[in-house]
Amino acid sequence: MTLAVFFGCAFIAFGPSFALFVFTVAKDPLRIIILIAGAFFWLLSLLLSSLVWFIAIKASNSQDLSLQRGLLIFGVFFSVLLQEVFRFAYYRLLRKANEGLAAISDDDSSTISVRQMAYVAGLGFGIMSGAFSMINILSDSLGPGTVGIFGDSQYYFITAALMTLALTLLHTFWGVVFFEGCEKSRWWVIAAVVGLHLLVAGLSLLNPLYEGSLPPVYVITLMMGVWAFFSSGGTLNSLNALCTRRKAEAESS
Amino acid sequence: MNTSDSEEDSYNERSALVQSESPTIPSYNQDHDMSLPQETDTKRVSRQRRPVSSGLAEPEPLEREQASTPDGEEEELTLKYGAKHVIMLFIPVTLCMVVVVATIKSVSFYTEKSSQRLIYTPFEEDPNSVGQRLLYSLLNTIVMISVIVFMTIILVVLYKYRCYKFIHGWLILSSLMLLFWFSFMYLGEVFKTYNVAMDYPTLVMIIWNFGVVGMICIHWKGPLRLQQAYLIVISALMALIFIKYLPEWSAWVILGAISIYDLIAVLCPKGPLRMLVETAQERNEPIFPALIYSSAMVWMVGMADSSNPDSADERRRNEGGARAQEGVESEDDVAQGGRRRYSAEEDLEEDRGVKLGLGDFIFYSVLVGKAAATGGDWNTTLACFVAILIGLCLTLLLLAIFKKALPALPISITFGLVFYFSTDNLVRPFMDSLAAHQYYI
């Protein structure tokens, strides 16, 4: 039972991101480096926000539970803002690196485009965010016993896995859209991304009322997926071409 | 358990990151062989190279011309292959860490504190008094680092005065101990953990085969991948021993101190490791393969003269990864000549790979292993892992810029230590609170 929960939740939470990694990132060394550096930047943002939260906690009365909860919520929102700041910082770093790569290559163009870097950076953020949210829970799910003895929801593991999946995909889409917005200097796009991230974090505050948090988050994920697709240059025609080409190939074979 | 001095020394000078040799010396190709050229062999081969080279007077100036390509082109080449080299080091470092973390999390032997200590950390830490614990860990560190410095200096002195037999004997003893004794211990503990019944004859056969093949691969010739695998395994075994036998606080202080020592030893003009690397480069010899992990892939992209059967042979031999026997000398001469002939025309495309000392593997794995050992928190382990990889990436970037041997420990260990302590004390309570309420950031 526990093993089934472990594998099920692991595959739900990490399956798509692992597949994305294997099929799109693993073959290109530069992308792997950008992915890991993205994970590092996310980690830095988490570190700083934890520091702020820790200081706030230590400076306050540890007996006052509602205050502690309020500080935690403040910590959540502050962390979201800091993540977006670090995403912007990573964007700047990648732009500089891209210029450097272009300068030293043969034909004055870098081997990787800003859009690819946006996708990989978003994926890096997403994988690290997902790993940090989920790994401890996964390792606990293996252990003897399960959650729910004190009246907590029995759906803890699966909702955690679903939420992690949504966040990983969201980070990927946000990366694409964010970098595109920075490139085209469309600041409303950046504001929208930050706003949506805050919204998703806020929705997660509704847990354990899972009906209030999971479906809206998935709706937002789908919307962001569509937005990212169109923002990175996809069109309905290309989708159409993809389908008809497949059909044509299937017919000809 | 008193570890012998041999592996003490065998890891200390392994902490150097050496850039691939400059692509302007095609004959260096020979030295990337995993086989440890017995000194007589090297001398024999190099003596034979000279008559060959004088016979091929024409390609030689060509080589030298290409040797003096403008800096920009060389830099371009180095940076073009830079990302690939980084990944070629990420993979073994990751594998070593995965082995160590997997062992720590499953086999409880390596996290049980025993009363035995290494002789290099003689002061026992008293968990009750903070001040005394700190003092004793500092003293332990001083003892350990002095032993390491002493051993490194002895090694460099021996190398300078060409006492190769002594050094080889030393290295062989230390690899013997790692490959046979430590792996026997490891296997025993794994069997105990999983309650696997094993009889001695089978065990002897397994350990014997493992050890002998390891000795051959590391000290002589063997397929590149197998040699790399063995180096990873012995680094992991060594790291596990350190994790078990170093006292808690001493381990962290030692990690910090050894990265400072690495910085000094590799960068200072009179630093022992720098002298070792420079002497090896002067003499055109590889540093002992038992101490360095090499990701060398030598391939010739494009063949100038595909009808040349010798070069074709060479290429096949290199691609196969197996190191050719230098048995028949005439064949070797011709092969050398053939390789030099077309390598002169195509040497721009050769990739030399990059080398990382085994000490670096060991200490990275010690850091990540200790992060995994203390407490059940996986986030700390993951954070240290990412920090070390980023440190390695930055070090390789610096290597591409400065093009000389650099210490691989300081940046990674600093990042690793910073992230360990901050994740353990700051991020862990935050993430635990978030997980308890199921808030997501």
Side-chain angles (χ1 to χ4, degrees):
Chain A
M1 169 62 191
T2 52
L3 205 61
V5 170
F6 171 76
F7 278 114
C9 290
F11 291 148
I12 290 177
F14 296 122
S17 47
F18 183 66
L20 284 173
F21 175 77
V22 165
F23 290 123
T24 57
V25 173
K27 295 254 169 29
D28 187 359
L30 197 55
R31 290 186 196 177
I32 299 182
I33 296 175
I34 296 180
L35 186 96
I36 300 203
F40 181 71
F41 269 73
W42 187 87
L43 200 57
L44 276 177
S45 82
L46 180 67
L47 204 72
L48 286 176
S49 50
S50 311
L51 179 65
V52 167
W53 173 82
F54 193 76
I55 294 175
I57 286 286
K58 287 299 174 195
S60 70
N61 178 16
S62 62
Q63 303 304 320
D64 187 355
L65 285 175
S66 65
L67 177 66
Q68 297 296 310
R69 200 150 164 269
L71 280 176
L72 190 62
I73 295 177
F74 159 72
V76 166
F77 288 125
F78 185 72
S79 174
V80 167
L81 288 172
L82 216 54
Q83 282 177 45
E84 297 304 323
V85 166
F86 270 81
R87 205 198 295 273
F88 183 71
Y90 194 40
Y91 164 74
R92 298 295 292 267
L93 179 73
L94 281 179
R95 286 279 293 165
K96 276 230 176 68
N98 208 20
E99 282 160 25
L101 277 174
I104 59 140
S105 81
D106 292 329
D107 50 358
D108 237 3
S109 75
S110 153
T111 49
I112 190 167
S113 74
V114 178
R115 280 182 178 157
Q116 290 174 350
M117 289 200 297
Y119 159 70
V120 176
L123 190 61
F125 266 58
I127 288 182
M128 202 58 179
S129 157
F132 259 65
S133 314
M134 199 60 196
I135 294 259
N136 275 333
I137 297 177
L138 275 180
S139 92
D140 284 339
S141 76
L142 256 183
T146 185
V147 80
I149 194 166
F150 289 118
D152 303 311
S153 163
Q154 48 174 306
Y155 300 116
Y156 182 83
F157 291 128
I158 191 126
T159 51
L162 287 169
M163 194 71 186
T164 306
L165 169 65
L167 265 180
T168 308
L169 291 175
L170 274 172
H171 269 291
T172 315
F173 300 145
W174 281 330
V176 172
V177 170
F178 191 95
F179 278 40
E180 195 68 21
C182 288
E183 285 279 296
K184 304 254 166 53
S185 297
R186 293 197 192 129
W187 307 114
W188 64 269
V189 166
I190 296 176
V193 167
V194 176
L196 278 173
H197 197 169
L198 285 168
L199 178 63
V200 167
L203 281 173
S204 78
L205 293 176
L206 288 175
N207 282 333
L209 183 70
Y210 298 125
E211 301 83 356
S213 69
L214 276 177
V217 167
Y218 270 89
V219 164
I220 295 179
T221 311
L222 271 155
M223 272 172 35
M224 280 305 308
V226 170
W227 188 4
F229 177 73
F230 286 114
S231 147
S232 61
T235 56
L236 286 171
N237 283 338
S238 59
L239 262 183
N240 203 16
L242 184 70
C243 299
T244 50
R245 191 168 50 224
R246 272 225 202 104
K247 239 192 286 181
E249 277 176 15
E251 275 168 19
S252 62
S253 64
Chain B
M1 180 198 107
N2 295 331
T3 57
S4 79
D5 292 348
S6 47
E7 90 276 337
E8 179 54 54
D9 118 270
S10 60
Y11 71 75
N12 54 15
E13 64 283 320
R14 290 173 184 179
S15 343
L17 178 61
V18 182
Q19 193 233 6
S20 52
E21 283 73 16
S22 74
T24 60
I25 314 171
S27 59
Y28 222 101
N29 224 351
Q30 177 68 28
D31 296 324
H32 279 265
D33 285 343
M34 289 318 114
S35 66
L36 175 67
Q38 296 299 318
E39 269 322 294
T40 46
D41 268 355
T42 315
K43 293 213 175 74
R44 208 186 326 134
V45 168
S46 51
R47 249 183 279 125
Q48 261 136 21
R49 267 191 231 139
R50 258 170 257 127
V52 170
S53 67
S54 60
L56 294 168
E58 210 226 31
E60 278 244 337
L62 196 63
E63 283 165 27
R64 294 224 188 83
E65 253 174 64
Q66 285 182 328
S68 57
T69 49
D71 267 344
E73 252 184 64
E74 263 189 42
E75 209 175 291
E76 197 179 298
L77 282 168
T78 325
L79 285 168
K80 186 194 270 187
Y81 293 120
K84 207 178 306 180
H85 291 172
V86 173
I87 302 302
M88 288 197 301
L89 283 185
F90 270 12
I91 295 178
V93 169
T94 309
L95 279 174
C96 191
M97 290 199 241
V98 162
V99 169
V100 170
V101 170
T103 310
I104 293 272
K105 287 288 185 186
S106 53
V107 178
S108 61
F109 171 73
Y110 289 103
T111 42
E112 284 162 6
K113 285 301 155 196
S114 75
S115 55
Q116 290 171 326
R117 284 187 313 282
L118 297 173
I119 51 169
Y120 310 113
T121 53
F123 299 96
E124 182 172 356
E125 283 180 17
D126 176 13
N128 299 321
S129 140
V130 170
Q132 196 207 38
R133 202 169 184 185
L134 199 58
L135 178 69
Y136 277 5
S137 57
L138 280 169
L139 290 174
N140 277 336
T141 310
I142 293 177
V143 171
M144 184 83 148
I145 300 286
S146 353
V147 169
I148 291 176
V149 171
F150 181 62
M151 295 290 187
T152 315
I153 292 181
I154 290 190
L155 181 80
V156 172
V157 161
L158 285 174
Y159 189 66
K160 255 196 143 62
Y161 291 110
R162 298 181 190 262
C163 310
Y164 294 120
K165 291 235 166 12
F166 194 85
I167 298 179
H168 290 332
W170 203 355
L171 289 176
I172 287 180
L173 263 178
S174 83
S175 344
L176 267 175
M177 176 168 242
L178 274 169
L179 282 170
F180 287 96
W181 175 242
F182 287 165
S183 57
F184 169 70
M185 248 173 57
Y186 178 81
L187 215 51
E189 292 308 321
V190 168
F191 288 149
K192 266 190 229 167
T193 308
Y194 291 108
N195 210 12
V196 173
M198 176 65 67
D199 55 311
Y200 272 114
T202 314
L203 188 66
V204 163
M205 222 178 52
I206 296 176
I207 298 283
W208 173 253
N209 279 302
F210 177 78
V212 168
V213 174
M215 291 300 291
I216 292 178
C217 276
I218 296 175
H219 291 282
W220 197 44
K221 301 179 215 286
L224 180 65
R225 290 282 178 234
L226 197 58
Q227 198 219 18
Q228 291 174 338
Y230 268 105
L231 288 174
I232 293 175
V233 165
I234 65 176
S235 308
L237 286 174
M238 194 71 210
L240 285 168
I241 292 296
F242 276 138
I243 294 174
K244 178 163 175 76
Y245 288 110
L246 284 179
E248 286 287 336
W249 290 21
S250 308
W252 296 112
V253 184
I254 285 176
L255 274 174
I258 204 154
S259 42
I260 298 178
Y261 163 70
D262 198 25
L263 193 66
I264 298 175
V266 176
L267 291 180
C268 284
K270 281 301 172 190
L273 291 179
R274 179 168 172 163
M275 294 202 326
L276 184 71
V277 168
E278 279 175 0
T279 319
Q281 281 177 345
E282 261 172 50
R283 296 182 191 169
N284 250 357
E285 287 160 6
I287 306 182
F288 317 102
L291 303 178
I292 297 241
Y293 174 96
S294 170
S295 61
M297 325 176 307
V298 179
W299 79 81
M300 317 292 180
V301 178
M303 291 276 296
D305 187 7
S306 52
S307 60
N308 185 341
D310 297 313
S311 343
D313 269 348
E314 268 310 304
R315 194 161 63 112
R316 237 179 286 126
R317 277 195 280 168
N318 281 334
E319 282 170 4
R323 291 302 164 243
Q325 284 270 355
E326 273 134 51
V328 184
E329 285 160 12
S330 57
E331 188 185 296
D332 198 45
D333 278 353
V334 174
Q336 282 285 344
R339 186 196 294 180
R340 289 179 104 222
R341 217 181 310 135
Y342 82 87
S343 71
E345 287 136 11
E346 294 295 324
D347 71 347
L348 280 180
E349 300 297 335
E350 286 174 17
D351 185 12
R352 303 270 167 185
V354 71
K355 301 182 190 225
L356 185 63
L358 284 195
D360 301 321
F361 278 87
I362 293 175
F363 286 110
Y364 292 163
S365 309
V366 166
L367 197 148
V368 175
K370 283 210 80 66
T374 53
D377 197 41
W378 283 91
N379 287 345
T380 317
T381 314
L382 198 57
C384 291
F385 168 70
V386 171
I388 288 182
L389 285 187
I390 291 292
L392 188 61
C393 198
L394 283 173
T395 312
L396 285 167
L397 186 68
L398 287 177
L399 187 70
I401 297 176
F402 290 112
K403 295 196 200 350
K404 57 177 199 160
L406 287 180
L409 281 183
I411 303 181
S412 289
I413 297 285
T414 310
F415 278 7
L417 287 174
V418 164
F419 273 83
Y420 172 74
F421 287 111
S422 49
T423 311
D424 206 28
N425 297 313
L426 300 174
V427 175
R428 182 150 61 126
F430 186 48
M431 293 308 288
D432 282 347
S433 317
L434 289 179
H437 293 101
Q438 262 192 316
Y439 296 162
Y440 285 89
I441 50 170

